[in-house]
Amino acid sequence: MRFPIPNSGLLLLRAPKQVPDHATIEIMAPDERVLTYDVRIVKVADYSVEDLFEKKLYMLIPYYIFNYESKLRELEENDDSLEELLDKYRDIFDRLEVEQEKSNLSSKSLDAIMNLTRSVTCKFTKNQSKVQRKVGDMMGGKILDLPCFKIHDEAKAEGLAEGRAEGEEERNRLAAENARLKAEIDEMKKQTSMDK
């Protein structure tokens, strides 16, 4: 049996050029019938940066570095090629921030994309120390300025301020209690000396 399934596809993050654009999936049913259907094979390499933004395929951005797999040695040895890659990532990150400002992307999603991009890129370039260092340095500033960290820092500052205020309140309460107890002790001492 053949079942055409519209708009279905298989996403390949890394794929050599000889991978076909379509594949047939076969499923063995419990009654031993074989069910087959065709799927389109989608490769990250098929999408330009323009495509990713135009189609809002932001979740593929962390894997964009896979398009450079065959060029990693050149990137390691050629500063101009490496600078082109860095420019591409600067452009991507700037565009992501614009998408977030336009509310096309939540802060949480932006954080996830940025962190995953850094993680994937770091692991993917582990054998190219110069590429890894330069890309990591460039991403470092972007990652450190992510909204989740800003929110964390603001919440921490707010918590510290609340803690200080509560601590001050507690100190004042304890000082008042201490003064009251001291006054009672002084009064008891007076009573004791009068009774003698």
Side-chain angles (χ1 to χ4, degrees):
M1 300 181 129
R2 294 184 78 72
F3 297 96
I5 300 179
N7 299 323
S8 65
L10 177 64
L11 174 66
L12 296 179
L13 298 176
R14 294 165 74 182
K17 294 196 184 303
Q18 64 269 26
V19 170
D21 291 335
H22 289 83
T24 301
I25 303 291
E26 293 184 351
I27 299 173
M28 178 70 79
D31 63 2
E32 297 189 16
R33 286 182 303 148
V34 176
L35 308 172
T36 63
Y37 63 94
D38 295 321
V39 293
R40 187 168 65 104
I41 296 178
V42 179
K43 303 166 211 154
V44 170
D46 291 342
Y47 294 98
S48 68
V49 171
E50 291 300 320
D51 293 331
L52 296 176
F53 281 92
E54 183 180 304
K55 296 176 182 186
K56 295 184 175 26
L57 296 172
Y58 311 124
M59 75 280 191
L60 295 181
I61 289 171
Y63 309 102
Y64 182 75
I65 189 70
F66 291 170
N67 294 332
Y68 290 86
E69 185 167 18
S70 64
K71 300 175 187 172
L72 287 176
R73 174 175 271 154
E74 178 189 343
L75 292 169
E76 183 72 10
E77 296 169 359
N78 184 319
D79 288 344
D80 291 337
S81 296
L82 180 55
E83 194 56 40
E84 285 177 31
L85 174 67
L86 296 175
D87 287 343
K88 187 71 80 172
Y89 271 108
R90 285 183 196 104
D91 177 54
I92 288 170
F93 292 147
D94 290 344
R95 290 175 73 168
L96 282 170
E97 288 174 355
V98 168
E99 291 301 299
Q100 194 240 340
E101 288 167 10
K102 290 186 197 173
S103 299
N104 291 334
L105 192 62
S106 71
S107 293
K108 200 171 192 177
S109 294
L110 175 63
D111 294 346
I113 291 166
M114 298 285 277
N115 283 311
L116 188 56
T117 300
R118 182 177 189 184
S119 178
V120 169
T121 303
C122 182
K123 288 179 180 156
F124 191 71
T125 61
K126 69 180 178 190
N127 294 326
Q128 288 74 34
S129 59
K130 184 168 141 188
V131 174
Q132 188 179 58
R133 185 182 70 254
K134 291 273 192 174
V135 173
D137 288 350
M138 188 271 303
M139 288 184 186
K142 290 286 185 185
I143 299 297
L144 295 176
D145 292 337
L146 289 175
C148 69
F149 292 118
K150 290 177 187 172
I151 291 167
H152 172 270
D153 292 343
E154 289 169 6
K156 183 177 175 182
E158 187 178 314
L160 288 171
E162 283 178 20
R164 282 189 201 104
E166 288 174 7
E168 188 63 33
E169 254 180 56
E170 185 64 12
R171 273 193 296 278
N172 292 340
R173 188 188 68 74
L174 290 172
E177 181 66 16
N178 191 25
R180 185 187 65 74
L181 290 172
K182 188 172 189 273
E184 281 183 23
I185 291 170
D186 288 345
E187 186 60 35
M188 289 170 79
K189 283 181 182 176
K190 267 190 203 172
Q191 287 290 336
T192 309
S193 60
M194 284 201 227
D195 289 342
K196 292 184 180 179

